[in-house]
Amino acid sequence: MLRWPHPRKRLRSEEAPLAGSEKAAFGDVHIFLVERKMGRSRRSFLTQLARSKGFVVEDVLSDAVTHVVSEDGEASSLWAWLKDHSRSDLSRMHVLDISWFTDSMKEKRPVAVETKHLIQDVLPEVSTPTSAAAVSQYACQRRTTTENHNKNLTDAFEVLAENYEFNGMEGQCLAFRRAASVLKSLSWEVRSSERVHELPCLGETMEELVEEILQYGRSFEVNKILSDERYQTLKLFTSVFGVGLKTAEKWYRRGLRTFPDVLEEPSIHLNRMQQSGFLHYGDISRAVSKAEAQALGSIIDEAVHAITPDGTLTLTGGFRRGKDFGHDVDFIVTTPERGQEERLLTSIIQHLKQQGILLFSDYQSSSFDMSKLPSHRFEAMDHFAKCFLILRLEGREVEGGLCRAEGDSRDWRAVRVDLVSPPPDRFAFTLLGWTGSRQFERDLRRFARLERRMLLDNHALFDKTKKEFLAATTEKDIFAHLGLEYIEPWQRNA
Ligand code: CTP
Ligand code: MN
Ligand code: MN
């Protein structure tokens, strides 16, 4: 079975909440039904209906209200009414149309708020669903789609972050990545640095940087970095598959600046991964399209099926977050038989090889051991069996054809593919961990540690207070354990 995300229609396993976990979330939801357009009798009927199902319905629009529900289709008049009739902070409430309410009645629990439920304020000064002051410092409490309204700013912040990384200044690097992520989450374009003042994770220097970019359209410091030889060289070298920062620095220190410099240097011995990285550089440094990702999904799914009928292939990584392009395609493969996940992965590699489409494979066997958990090591890689592949993708397999470089007449291209194979009971943690984005994952773990005294990684969730592991079969279970509102994959582009 190939699990390819479909808008609206979600996976079965994703829909079953953990018994018990929903109870607490329930009490936190306080509904207010807007009488306008709904009418008094319908409002009282819906109030009784909701209360009979255990929902809390407030009679007045007070600070206690978390979910405002209206049948008024006209957003502007509704918002005007709300502002007139409430002294509470509306930015802290969800303003929702009746579909959220009816969905919740059907499910007998408050369903997660999705964009389709929101009635957004259309007035220009408050066209933001959340005011700057209400933005959380944690990416896992923000909804970040692929639509970035502040690309000019986030691009600059990311150059600075990368430069700090190249210079070994981890703290600064993280600070700029965090700030870029906050800016990415905004549903509005920053037009004055004053608005930035209210945002979390953006200090005074960053505010000045924003001001400079808004005023001059560029940043002096960023431009300086972009034309810096060391930055350019490290960026070039680390763009090769298999070349990390350490290797890139070593080559730079030896005076090497270009690929020919590296390839013609007799004392340099490239490892297998780097050799493939250089060999397929043109192909794998070019973005992979959604259609190409889909084609690879079918090819690998076929391989899984040739091996076991019970195998499951699940798309993860950037494409699961709804990105149109990626640097690779990431999949999780599982089999319900415990202990068979390694064999499944090695058999898939074998199958791809027999088909003649395996250009490179780096297989890492599992070192997963539940008894060695929880891991306190921050940002540790997971221990599941996995492989980093380069596959040959034929043009005829791809709907609409290949993403080809100009002047390239070949009917195939090389593509990077990652496969990971966790034991079946670890699936939800793996899916959450591999869906990313990296910043979203970082903040999930930071939130768990600092706000909940819990340890989260790709293997498990450990409650330090209760000293026990918390079970999960879906991502929703994990969000519920953490006391977080569920964030859809396409809202995790932090
Ligand atoms: N990941 C991980 N362990 C690994 C490799 C990756 O947990 N050994 C996670 C990363 O943290 C990331 C996700 O898997 O959140 C996907 O990684 P990657 O393919 O590098 O990034 P994408 O978000 O998919 O971006 P792109 O579209 O450029 O591939
Ligand atoms: Mn990826
Ligand atoms: Mn990957």
Side-chain angles (χ1 to χ4, degrees):
M1 175 182 61
L2 169 62
R3 289 183 184 165
W4 195 275
H6 193 275
R8 300 272 156 95
K9 205 178 106 198
R10 242 163 298 118
L11 295 172
R12 238 191 156 186
S13 60
E14 286 295 294
E15 276 160 7
L18 251 203
S21 67
E22 56 188 309
K23 267 272 150 46
F26 231 121
D28 293 343
V29 171
H30 289 238
I31 300 173
F32 175 79
L33 295 164
V34 180
E35 195 169 297
R36 268 167 51 91
K37 296 281 156 92
M38 187 179 284
R40 180 172 301 176
S41 60
R42 180 159 159 81
R43 181 182 183 219
S44 91
F45 166 75
L46 293 178
T47 301
Q48 277 170 25
L49 175 75
R51 285 181 180 154
S52 73
K53 291 178 192 280
F55 287 82
V56 180
V57 183
E58 300 284 341
D59 291 320
V60 290
L61 185 51
S62 68
D63 275 331
V65 172
T66 57
H67 293 58
V68 176
V69 174
S70 167
E71 273 189 320
D72 190 347
E74 217 178 294
S76 54
S77 67
L78 170 68
W79 273 90
W81 183 88
L82 286 172
K83 280 170 201 163
D84 268 0
H85 288 78
S86 164
R87 250 169 271 128
S88 318
D89 183 0
L90 291 168
S91 72
R92 292 180 191 282
M93 304 173 187
H94 298 294
V95 179
L96 306 164
D97 75 30
I98 194 77
S99 66
W100 175 83
F101 184 88
T102 41
D103 285 356
S104 298
M105 292 306 114
K106 239 182 270 158
E107 301 256 334
K108 299 194 182 64
R109 65 182 172 91
V111 298
V113 171
E114 295 176 30
T115 312
K116 65 175 180 189
H117 300 129
L118 293 174
I119 303 180
Q120 304 225 0
D121 190 355
V122 289
L123 294 177
E125 72 270 30
V126 269
S127 66
T128 62
T130 41
S131 73
V135 176
S136 169
Q137 62 147 317
Y138 294 106
C140 53
Q141 290 187 308
R142 304 190 293 256
R143 293 170 200 275
T144 314
T145 63
T146 52
E147 199 180 343
N148 179 356
H149 298 274
N150 294 286
K151 196 166 181 316
N152 57 336
L153 299 178
T154 58
D155 282 354
F157 275 62
E158 273 162 5
V159 169
L160 287 164
E162 196 168 33
N163 193 49
Y164 282 122
E165 185 175 27
F166 288 174
N167 290 315
M169 296 162 78
E170 266 172 56
Q172 285 289 70
C173 167
L174 215 59
F176 274 86
R177 292 235 157 96
R178 244 179 229 165
S181 174
V182 167
L183 292 170
K184 273 187 198 170
S185 75
L186 303 178
S187 59
W188 41 278
E189 187 187 331
V190 174
R191 291 216 186 86
S192 94
S193 59
E194 268 155 57
R195 294 293 303 271
V196 170
H197 198 71
E198 299 161 39
L199 292 172
C201 309
L202 278 96
E204 214 170 297
T205 25
M206 299 188 193
E207 214 176 302
E208 283 165 16
L209 176 66
V210 169
E211 194 161 332
E212 189 191 355
I213 298 172
L214 291 179
Q215 197 170 345
Y216 303 108
R218 46 151 199 81
S219 143
F220 178 73
E221 200 188 344
V222 170
N223 282 359
K224 207 172 76 184
I225 293 167
L226 288 173
S227 59
D228 176 61
E229 190 186 36
R230 186 179 127 89
Y231 173 84
Q232 286 178 352
T233 312
L234 294 181
K235 182 110 182 129
L236 177 72
F237 289 167
T238 54
S239 74
V240 179
F241 177 51
V243 179
L245 189 52
K246 285 228 172 68
T247 306
E249 274 180 318
K250 200 170 71 193
W251 292 349
Y252 180 79
R253 276 200 303 272
R254 293 175 61 170
L256 311 176
R257 297 291 180 268
T258 64
F259 289 167
D261 286 354
V262 173
L263 297 170
E264 285 159 20
E265 172 57 51
S267 65
I268 285 186
H269 293 284
L270 300 176
N271 65 29
R272 226 168 41 86
M273 199 182 247
Q274 293 161 348
Q275 281 174 21
S276 297
F278 276 111
L279 186 61
H280 301 291
Y281 184 79
D283 275 352
I284 60 183
S285 62
R286 214 172 43 252
V288 183
S289 72
K290 209 180 257 182
E292 289 170 339
Q294 227 139 4
L296 285 158
S298 312
I299 291 166
I300 299 166
D301 192 50
E302 223 168 83
V304 171
H305 267 96
I307 296 151
T308 163
D310 300 329
T312 307
L313 183 71
T314 308
L315 177 75
T316 178
F319 284 108
R320 181 164 182 252
R321 300 198 308 274
K323 279 175 58 175
D324 289 325
F325 293 94
H327 97 283
D328 68 356
V329 197
D330 307 280
F331 296 99
I332 303 175
V333 288
T334 46
T335 154
E337 304 149 78
R338 270 198 141 271
Q340 288 301 300
E341 56 276 354
E342 286 214 71
R343 197 189 62 82
L344 176 59
L345 206 50
T346 49
S347 306
I348 292 170
I349 297 171
Q350 203 53 39
H351 186 92
L352 297 170
K353 194 173 184 175
Q354 278 160 9
Q355 284 187 303
I357 61 171
L358 188 73
L359 298 174
F360 172 83
S361 158
D362 177 35
Y363 171 71
Q364 300 186 356
S365 62
S366 166
S367 56
F368 175 65
D369 180 353
M370 199 65 196
S371 70
K372 293 218 177 92
L373 296 182
S375 162
H376 292 260
R377 259 186 46 222
F378 191 55
E379 304 253 309
M381 263 253 219
D382 67 52
H383 295 282
F384 302 128
K386 59 174 81 66
C387 60
F388 308 109
L389 310 175
I390 300 177
L391 298 183
R392 181 188 161 106
L393 179 63
E394 301 292 336
R396 62 183 141 75
E397 312 261 12
V398 183
E399 207 185 302
L402 288 170
C403 265
R404 265 196 311 230
E406 225 169 287
D408 185 353
S409 59
R410 287 173 312 155
D411 55 357
W412 67 276
R413 68 166 287 186
V415 192
R416 278 267 303 109
V417 171
D418 288 341
L419 303 180
V420 60
S421 188
D425 63 329
R426 303 290 107 203
F427 177 77
F429 297 101
T430 315
L431 182 62
L432 181 60
W434 277 69
T435 297
S437 70
R438 287 219 150 80
Q439 194 58 37
F440 191 87
E441 303 300 324
R442 266 188 213 119
D443 276 2
L444 263 179
R445 291 192 288 262
R446 191 163 63 97
F447 178 88
R449 206 175 62 242
L450 301 179
E451 305 293 332
R452 300 290 186 253
R453 280 183 46 80
M454 292 181 186
L455 294 171
L456 173 71
D457 60 19
N458 290 3
H459 314 101
L461 177 62
F462 183 76
D463 186 326
K464 291 204 279 184
T465 312
K466 293 188 194 153
K467 294 194 172 57
E468 65 182 26
F469 287 102
L470 305 176
T473 51
T474 69
E475 288 182 318
K476 281 189 180 153
D477 297 342
I478 305 172
F479 280 90
H481 283 316
L482 289 169
L484 281 172
E485 264 186 58
Y486 181 67
I487 309 282
E488 300 281 353
W490 49 271
Q491 299 170 326
R492 299 182 204 161
N493 289 287

